C-alpha cells in the first residue's frame, strides 16, 4: 500500500510497479537482487574462463600439443585473463559488496540504487560485447596486458574489442565505486562509526577508492589505443614519435592497484569469516584496517616492478624494488592478525572457514613468491615465465577465489534462507585445494626451469613435460570441484536445510534480520553500540571475562503482518538498463566505422541519452501494487 | 616434426616443489637447457646469489608461518568444553610482528640494490653486438667486426659481451610490425626487452664453451613460441676463426651446377609479385650490409645448425618444407610462400648448402 509523501504524477516516464516475478529482475534497484545477479553472471563467466583454461592446459599437457593452434591459443589465453579479472573476480567481489554493504552498515539500500542497477547492466553488456568478438572475426589476442605496439598491429578487430570492451566495463566499475564510497560514508546506521564497521566494509571502501583512481588511468590508455586502432592516431607508434613504454606505464599504473582491487574484498571476507568460526573478535582490528588502507596507498607506488626488464635504469629499478618489498609488510600484518584471530579460539571447521584458512595458507605462498619478484636482478629471470604465472594464481585464485567461495558459503544462507550442504562443501574445498596446488605448484618449477608464458607450444627435451602434465591433471580436478559446487547449489535449492536468521552464531548486523532479508533489510534501523554489535546483543561478558548468552538476545523481529509498513523504498526503474544498452552499440559503432557503424553510433548515443532523460524525468516513486 | 637437437639427458636433477602445506612433491626431470638455477656466467650468477639468499629466507618464513598456522588449527580446534578467549589484540606482539618482516626485507634490500647497480656498470673491453628483434627471429650485428648474422649468436668465453638490444622495424614487404621482444638466454643473464625506439643494454658472459639456449619472452604475436635463439660460446681462437669465416665472401657455385641455378633463382627469379629471395635476404655479410635487412642475412647460412628462429634443424628436408610454405611450418612466419616449383626449391636449397 504505502502512501508516499508526495503524490506521483503519472506521465510519459513511469516506473515499474512490480517487485516480484521474473521481469522485476530487469528493472530492480534492490541491492540484494543486483548483488545476486552480479554473482550469478560472474559465476557463469567463471565457468567460461575455466573452460578456456582447460583448453589451454590441454594444449600444453604435452610438448607439441595439437589441440589449439597458435591463433586460437592466443585468443584463449587473452580471454582467459580478461574474463577472470574483469568478468569474474572483480564482479564477484562487487556482487558481494552489493549484497552485503547495506546490510553490514545497517542501511536499507545503497546511496544511488538506480546507478547500482546501471553498473550491473553495463557490466553484463560489456562482458557480452567482449565475448561477441569470438563470433565477429576473432577475440582479442594480444594478452590482457595488451602491450603496445603489438596491440595496434594485430590484425582483425580483436584488440579493438579489447579497447572498447574494457572501456565499457570500466564505466560499470566507476559508477559502482562512487556508489559504494557514498553509501559507506553517508548511510551507516546510527552509532556505526568508521572504526566499528566490519572489515569487509572497510576493504570495500579502500577498493572503491582504488577503482575511482585506477579506472580513469586505464580509460585514458584505452581511448588512446582506440584512436590509434580505429582512427589512425599514433600515441604508441614509435615510427611517428609515439612511445610504446607510455602504454606500459599507464597500464601498470592501473594494473597494479587492480591487483589490490581484486584481493582486498577477499581479505575483507576472510576477516569477517574467521572471527565467527573462531568464536572470538578479530585480532588487531585497527591494524588490519590500517594495513588494508596502507596497501591501498602503497599499491600506487609499485607499478614499475612489472617493467624491470624494460630498461628503466638502476635508480628506478631500485626504487620500485624497495617499494615492492615493503608492501609485503602490511600484507604480513594481515596474515599474522588472521592467525592471531584463530589463536586461542574454538575453531569450527565449516566450509566457509576451510576456504578462509585455504586463503591464508595459499596467500602466504603467493606473498612469498611476490617478495622474490622484488629482487629486480633476479626478476629479470622470472619475468614472463611460468614462475610469475604461479605467483599471481596463488594470490588471485588461492587468494581471491578461495576468499570469494568462503563468502559464498558463509552468506548463502543469508541470501537464500538455506544452508549449502556442508558435506558437499567440504568435498568442494578439498578437491579445489588439491587441484589448485596440483595445477599451479608445478608452475614455480616450470618457470625456474625456463618456460616462458604465452607460448602455445614447446618442444620435448626441455625438462618441462612432466610438470606440464601434472598441471593439466590439476586443472581438471579444479573443474571437478566446480561441478561439486554446482551440484551443491542445485541440491540445496531442492532440499536444503532451513538456515534461520543466524545459522553460524555470527557477529555482524546482517544476521540480525531474516534470511533472506526483506526488501527493506531491517524493520527498524539498528542503533549500533559496539563493533560486532549483533554479537554483543547475544552475549554479555561475565565477571570472569567470558561470554554468556543473553536470554532471547539478538532475537529477530518478524512483524510480518505489518511488514514494510511506512518504509519508503526506491521504486524499480526501466531506465538503468536502457541507458546501459546504448554503450555496446557505441562500441560496435567504433569497431565498424562505416555507414552502418556511424548509424550505430547515433543509435547508441540516442538510446543512452533517452535512458538518462527517463532516469531524470521519471517520478520519484510509483504506487505499489 | 620439429627437429631440435637439445642436449638430451642433461644431468638429472631434483627440484623441490613448494607445495601445499609442506615442501614435498619431488620430481625428477631431465633437461636444463634454459634452467635459471644453473647460471653459466657472471651476469647470471649475480642474480642467482640474490635468489639463493631470498629463496632461503622465504623457505624459512614459509615453514614458520605455515607451521604456526597448522599448529593453531590443531591446537584450537573445536572441543565441546573449549572456551574461546575473548582478546582483541596485543599491541606488543603486533609491533614485533610488523618489525620483524620489515627487518628481514631490509636485509634483502641492501644486496638487491647493490646488485642492481653492479649489473648496470659499463664493462671495459666488452664485445659490442647489436641485437634487433624481428617477427619472429633475431638479427645480430657485430659492430666492431662489421658483419651480420641471425638467430645463432657466437661469443667468446670469459669475455663480457655488451648487447645493445632494440625492437624491429615496420616492413612493407614482409608485413613485419614493430613490436616488443625480449632477449633471454637464462643461463647467461636475465632478460632484457627489445623496445622499438629504445636502445637497451644487456651484458652476457659464458664461462665455458657450449651452446646456451634461449627464446623470446615478450609476447610478440603468432610466432612468439617459436622465436628461439642460441648462444654459441667458443674459446678465443674458435671465436676468432668463426669471425674471419663470417667476414669472408662465399665461394661462387661451380658453373652449370644445380646450385648455380639456385643462385640465379635466389637473386633474379620472378616469383609471386615479382619477388625473389634476394628481395629480403642478403648473402654477404660485409660491413656495407650491416644496415638492417628485411629477412635474416644468409651469409654462411650452411654453417648454421638451425634456422627460422632457431626452431628447425638446418637440413635439406626442413629447408624444402620451409621454402614451400613457411607459415605452415611456423605460424605467423613473415616469409611469404613464393610458389616455387619443387625443382626450383631443390635448386635454391642446393645453393643455400654452398653458403659455407
Amino acid at each position: 500500500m504505502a502512501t508516499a509523501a508526495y503524490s506521483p504524477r503519472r506521465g510519459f516516464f513511469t516506473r515499474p510497479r512490480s517487485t516480484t516475478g521474473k521481469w522485476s529482475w530487469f528493472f530492480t534497484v534492490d541491492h540484494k537482487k543486483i548483488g545476486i545477479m552480479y554473482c550469478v553472471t560472474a559465476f557463469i563467466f567463471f565457468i567460461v574462463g575455466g573452460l578456456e583454461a582447460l583448453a589451454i592446459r590441454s594444449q600444453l599437457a604435452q610438448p607439441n600439443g595439437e589441440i589449439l593452434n597458435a591463433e586460437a591459443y592466443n585468443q584463449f589465453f587473452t580471454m582467459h585473463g580478461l574474463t577472470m579479472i574483469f568478468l569474474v573476480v572483480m564482479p564477484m567481489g562487487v556482487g558481494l559488496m552489493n549484497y552485503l554493504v547495506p546490510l553490514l552498515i545497517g542501511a536499507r539500500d545503497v546511496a544511488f540504487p538506480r546507478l547500482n542497477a546501471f553498473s550491473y547492466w553495463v557490466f553484463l553488456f560489456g562482458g557480452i560485447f567482449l565475448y561477441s568478438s569470438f563470433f565477429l572475426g576473432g577475440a582479442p589476442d594480444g594478452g590482457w596486458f595488451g602491450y603496445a605496439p603489438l596491440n595496434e598491429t594485430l590484425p582483425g578487430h580483436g584488440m579493438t574489442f579489447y579497447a572498447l570492451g574494457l572501456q565499457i566495463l570500466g564505466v560499470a566499475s566507476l559508477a559502482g565505486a562512487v556508489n559504494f564510497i557514498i553509501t559507506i560514508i553517508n548511510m551507516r546506521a546510527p552509532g556505526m562509526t568508521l572504526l566499528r564497521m566490519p572489515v569487509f566494509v572497510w576493504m570495500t571502501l579502500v577498493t572503491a577508492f582504488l577503482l575511482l583512481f585506477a579506472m580513469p588511468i586505464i580509460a585514458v590508455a584505452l581511448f588512446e589505443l582506440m584512436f590509434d586502432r580505429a582512427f589512425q592516431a599514433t600515441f604508441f607508434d614509435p615510427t611517428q614519435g609515439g612511445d610504446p613504454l607510455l602504454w606500459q606505464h599507464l597500464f601498470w599504473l592501473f594494473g597494479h592497484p587492480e591487483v589490490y582491487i581484486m584481493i582486498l574484498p577477499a581479505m575483507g571476507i576472510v576477516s569477517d569469516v574467521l572471527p565467527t568460526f573462531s568464536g572470538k573478535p578479530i585480532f588487531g582490528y585497527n591494524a588490519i584496517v590500517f594495513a588494508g588502507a596502507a596497501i591501498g596507498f602503497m599499491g600506487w607506488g609499485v607499478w614499475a616492478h612489472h617493467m624491470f626488464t624494460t630498461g628503466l635504469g638502476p635508480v628506478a629499478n631500485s626504487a620500485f624494488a624497495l617499494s615492492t618489498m615493503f608492501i609485503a609488510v602490511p600484507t604480513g600484518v594481515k596474515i599474522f592478525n588472521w592467525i592471531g584471530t584463530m589463536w586461542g579460539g574454538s575453531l569450527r571447521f565449516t566450509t566457509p572457514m576451510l576456504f578462509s584458512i585455504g586463503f591464508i595458507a595459499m596467500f602466504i605462498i603467493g606473498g612469498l613468491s611476490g617478495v622474490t619478484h622484488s629482487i629486480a636482478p633476479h626478476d629479470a629471470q622470472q619475468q614472463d615465465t611460468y614462475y610469475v604465472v604461479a605467483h599471481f594464481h596463488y594470490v588471485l585464485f588461492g587468494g581471491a577465489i578461495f576468499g570469494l567461495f568462503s563468502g559464498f558459503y558463509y552468506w548463502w544462507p543469508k541470501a537464500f534462507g538455506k544452508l549449502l550442504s556442508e558435506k558437499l562443501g567440504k568435498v568442494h574445498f578439498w578437491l579445489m585445494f588439491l587441484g589448485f596446488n596440483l595445477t599451479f605448484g608445478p608452475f614455480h618449477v616450470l618457470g625456474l626451469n625456463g618456460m616462458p608464458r604465452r607460448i602455445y607450444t614447446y618442444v620435448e627435451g626441455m625438462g618441462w613435460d612432466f610438470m606440464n602434465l601434472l598441471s593439466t591433471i590439476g586443472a581438471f580436478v579444479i573443474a571437478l570441484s566446480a561441478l561439486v559446487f554446482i551440484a551443491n547449489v542445485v541440491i540445496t535449492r531442492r532440499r536444503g536445510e532451513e538456515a534461520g536468521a543466524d545459522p553460524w552464531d555470527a557477529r555482524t548486523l546482517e544476521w540480525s534480520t531474516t534470511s533472506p532479508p526483506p526488501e527493506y533489510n531491517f524493520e527498524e534501523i539498528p542503533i549500533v553500540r559496539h563493533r560486532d554489535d549483533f554479537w554483543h546483543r547475544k552475549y554479555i561478558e561475565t565477571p570472569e571475562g567470558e561470554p554468556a548468552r543473553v536470554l532471547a538476545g539478538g532475537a529477530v523481529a518478524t512483524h510480518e503482518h505489518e511488514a514494510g509498513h511506512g518504509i519508503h523504498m526506491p521504486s524499480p526503474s526501466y531506465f538503468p538498463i536502457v541507458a546501459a544498452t546504448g554503450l555496446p552499440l557505441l562500441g560496435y559503432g567504433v569497431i565498424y566505422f562505416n555507414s552502418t557503424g556511424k548509424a550505430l553510433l547515433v543509435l547508441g548515443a540516442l538510446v543512452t541519452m533517452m535512458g538518462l532523460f527517463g532516469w531524470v524525468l521519471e517520478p520519484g516513486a510509483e504506487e505499489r501494487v | 616434426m620439429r627437429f631440435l637437437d637439445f642436449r638430451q639427458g642433461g644431468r638429472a636433477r631434483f627440484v623441490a616443489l613448494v607445495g601445499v602445506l609442506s615442501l614435498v612433491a619431488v620430481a625428477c626431470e631431465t633437461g636444463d637447457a634454459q634452467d635459471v638455477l644453473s647460471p653459466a656466467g657472471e651476469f647470471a650468477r649475480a642474480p642467482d646469489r640474490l635468489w639463493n639468499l631470498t629463496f632461503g629466507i622465504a623457505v624459512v618464513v614459509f615453514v614458520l608461518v605455515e607451521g604456526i598456522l597448522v599448529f593453531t588449527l590443531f591446537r584450537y580446534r573445536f572441543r565441546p568444553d573449549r572456551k574461546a578467549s575473548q582478546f582483541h589484540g596485543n599491541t606488543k606482539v603486533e609491533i614485533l610482528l610488523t618489525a620483524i618482516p620489515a627487518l628481514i626485507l631490509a636485509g634483502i634490500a641492501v644486496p638487491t640494490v647493490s646488485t642492481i647497480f653492479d649489473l648496470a656498470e659499463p664493462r671495459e673491453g666488452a664485445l659490442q653486438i647489436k641485437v634487433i628483434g624481428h617477427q619472429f627471429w633475431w638479427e645480430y650485428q657485430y659492430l666492431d667486426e662489421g658483419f651480420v648474422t641471425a638467430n645463432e649468436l657466437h661469443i667468446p668465453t670469459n669475455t663480457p659481451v655488451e648487447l645493445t638490444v632494440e625492437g624491429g622495424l615496420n616492413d612493407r614487404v614482409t608485413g613485419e610490425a614493430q613490436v616488443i621482444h625480449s632477449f633471454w638466454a637464462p643461463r647467461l643473464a636475465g632478460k632484457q626487452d627489445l623496445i622499438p625506439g629504445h636502445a637497451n643494454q644487456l651484458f652476457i658472459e659464458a664461462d665455458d664453451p657450449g651452446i646456451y639456449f634461449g627464446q623470446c619472452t615478450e609476447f610478440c604475436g603468432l610466432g612468439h613460441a617459436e622465436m628461439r635463439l642460441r648462444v654459441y660460446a667458443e674459446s678465443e681462437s674458435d671465436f676468432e676463426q668463426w669471425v674471419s669465416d663470417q667476414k669472408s665472401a662465399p665461394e661462387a657455385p661451380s658453373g652449370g651446377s644445380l646450385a648455380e641455378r639456385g643462385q640465379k633463382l635466389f637473386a633474379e627469379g620472378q616469383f609471386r609479385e615479382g619477388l625473389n629471395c634476394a628481395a629480403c635476404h642478403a648473402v654477404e655479410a660485409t660491413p656495407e650490409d650491416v644496415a638492417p635487412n628485411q629477412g635474416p642475412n644468409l651469409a654462411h647460412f650452411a654453417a648454421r645448425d638451425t634456422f627460422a628462429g632457431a626452431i628447425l634443424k638446418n637440413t635439406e628436408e626442413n629447408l624444402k618444407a620451409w621454402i614451400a610454405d613457411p607459415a605452415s611450418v611456423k605460424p605467423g612466419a613473415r616469409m611469404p610462400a613464393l610458389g616455387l616449383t619443387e625443382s626450383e626449391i631443390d635448386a635454391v636449397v642446393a645453393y643455400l648448402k654452398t653458403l659455407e
Side-chain angles (χ1 to χ4, degrees), chain A residues 64 70-71 74 77 141-143 145 147-150 153-154 237-239 243-245 248 278-285 287 308-311 313-315 317-318 321-322 325-326 328-329 333 335-337 339-340 342-349 357 360-362 364-365 368 371-372 374-385 387 394 433 437 441-442 444-445 447-457 459-467 470 507 531 535 545-547, chain B residues 1-2 4 6-8 13 15-21 25 27-37 43-44 46-48 50-51 54-55 57-59 61-62 65-66 68-69 71-74 76-79 82-90 93-94 97-98 101-103 105-106 108-109 112-113 115-117 119-120 135 170 177-180 182 184-193 195-198 200 213 215-222 224-226 228 329-331:
Chain A
N64 305 316
E71 214 178 341
N74 291 351
F77 87 71
D141 52 355
F145 59 105
Y147 271 9
L150 184 66
T153 57
L154 283 168
D237 181 354
T239 60
D243 191 346
L245 272 187
Q248 294 193 24
S278 305
K280 276 182 64 201
I282 194 154
F283 182 91
Y285 173 90
F308 279 150
T309 62
T310 58
V315 176
N317 281 354
S318 299
L322 294 179
M325 279 175 199
F326 287 100
V329 173
V333 167
I335 287 173
F336 292 132
N337 281 312
I339 295 177
M342 291 189 284
W343 188 274
S346 174
L347 310 177
R348 288 179 288 152
F349 297 117
I357 295 167
I360 302 172
M362 296 302 95
I364 293 170
I365 298 175
L368 286 171
V371 171
T372 65
S374 71
I375 46 172
H378 200 269
D379 185 71
Q381 294 282 22
Q382 304 157 15
Q383 177 88 29
D384 281 320
T385 70
Y387 186 78
Y394 267 81
F433 190 78
N437 281 290
H444 292 110
V445 181
L448 293 175
N449 207 2
M451 180 163 167
R453 301 167 72 171
R454 304 173 183 130
I455 54 171
Y456 81 101
T457 190
V459 291
E460 61 273 21
M462 299 300 289
W464 303 339
D465 306 6
F466 176 69
M467 287 295 171
L470 214 58
R507 315 176 68 85
R531 191 180 296 151
W535 172 268
E546 281 173 4
Chain B
M1 62 159 286
R2 307 224 153 75
L4 275 144
F6 289 111
R7 288 168 304 161
Q8 290 289 340
R13 69 194 188 98
V15 259
L17 161 61
V18 180
V20 195
L21 294 161
C28 178
E29 288 253 29
T30 59
D32 57 356
Q34 289 182 192
D35 188 12
V36 170
L37 304 179
F43 297 104
D48 191 57
L50 269 182
W51 163 263
T54 314
F55 183 68
I57 293 173
V59 168
V61 173
F62 171 80
V65 181
E66 299 276 10
I68 294 169
L69 174 66
F71 172 80
T72 310
L73 297 181
F74 182 77
Y76 298 106
R77 69 195 184 281
F78 176 78
R79 285 283 171 273
R82 175 164 291 144
K83 290 240 163 60
S85 353
Q86 299 296 311
F87 57 87
H88 288 264
N90 183 324
V93 172
E94 283 178 57
L97 288 179
T98 310
L103 285 175
L105 289 166
I108 298 172
T112 298
V113 172
T115 309
I116 291 173
F117 280 92
L119 286 174
Q135 281 179 321
N170 286 321
Q178 200 164 20
V179 303
I180 301 175
S182 193
W184 192 40
R187 299 193 58 205
L188 301 182
K191 58 188 70 69
Q192 186 68 55
D193 294 353
I195 303 172
H198 292 258
N200 281 330
F213 294 80
Q215 65 190 101
C216 177
T217 46
E218 188 61 84
F219 180 65
C220 57
L222 274 186
H224 171 58
E226 287 158 314
R228 305 176 60 83
V329 180
K330 172 172 168 173

Side-chain angles (χ1 to χ4, degrees), chain A residues 393-475:
Chain A
H393 279 96
Y394 267 81
V395 288
L396 292 181
F397 191 141
I401 293 282
F402 272 59
L404 289 164
F405 270 112
S406 176
F408 290 154
Y409 278 94
Y410 184 57
W411 283 300
W412 194 276
K414 180 48 60 187
F416 300 105
K418 286 178 171 181
L419 286 156
L420 283 169
S421 154
E422 275 292 296
K423 200 181 275 176
L424 281 175
K426 281 172 185 164
V427 173
H428 172 201
F429 169 75
W430 285 110
L431 275 177
M432 192 171 256
F433 190 78
L434 180 82
F436 167 77
N437 281 290
L438 201 55
T439 309
F440 301 110
F443 283 6
H444 292 110
V445 181
L446 282 172
L448 293 175
N449 207 2
M451 180 163 167
R453 301 167 72 171
R454 304 173 183 130
I455 54 171
Y456 81 101
T457 190
Y458 55 93
V459 291
E460 61 273 21
M462 299 300 289
W464 303 339
D465 306 6
F466 176 69
M467 287 295 171
N468 269 302
L469 182 62
L470 214 58
S471 166
T472 303
I473 294 168

